[in-house]
Amino acid sequence: MTDENEKKPAADSRQDRLKSALRENLKRRKVQARERAAITGPSQNDDGSLDEGTAGKTFDETGG
């Protein structure tokens, strides 16, 4: 029965390490998501000129 008692603290420390690693991973992913949102947010155009074929081009009433 002493083997079970010796494994218990090791399992607790492993759980603590896993909790800490998961917490750090979550923080890192949140920062990455915020950075992506900051980068992609302002780059979207309100005028709808995201199509490379028509961006910046003007057409007359005849379509040409």
Side-chain angles (χ1 to χ4, degrees), residues 5 8 13 17 21 26 33 37 40-41 43 60:
N5 291 336
K8 198 81 161 163
S13 65
R17 286 195 317 269
L26 180 61
T40 59
S43 67
D60 61 7

Side-chain angles (χ1 to χ4, degrees), residues 17-34:
R17 286 195 317 269
L18 288 174
K19 284 181 186 178
S20 177
L22 286 171
R23 195 173 300 119
E24 291 300 318
N25 187 23
L26 180 61
K27 288 179 186 177
R28 191 169 41 249
R29 291 179 63 150
K30 283 185 176 182
V31 168
Q32 289 174 345
R34 285 187 204 118

Side-chain angles (χ1 to χ4, degrees), residues 47 49 51-60 64:
D47 61 13
S49 63
D51 185 20
E52 293 178 7
T54 60
K57 295 182 181 178
T58 57
F59 294 98
D60 61 7

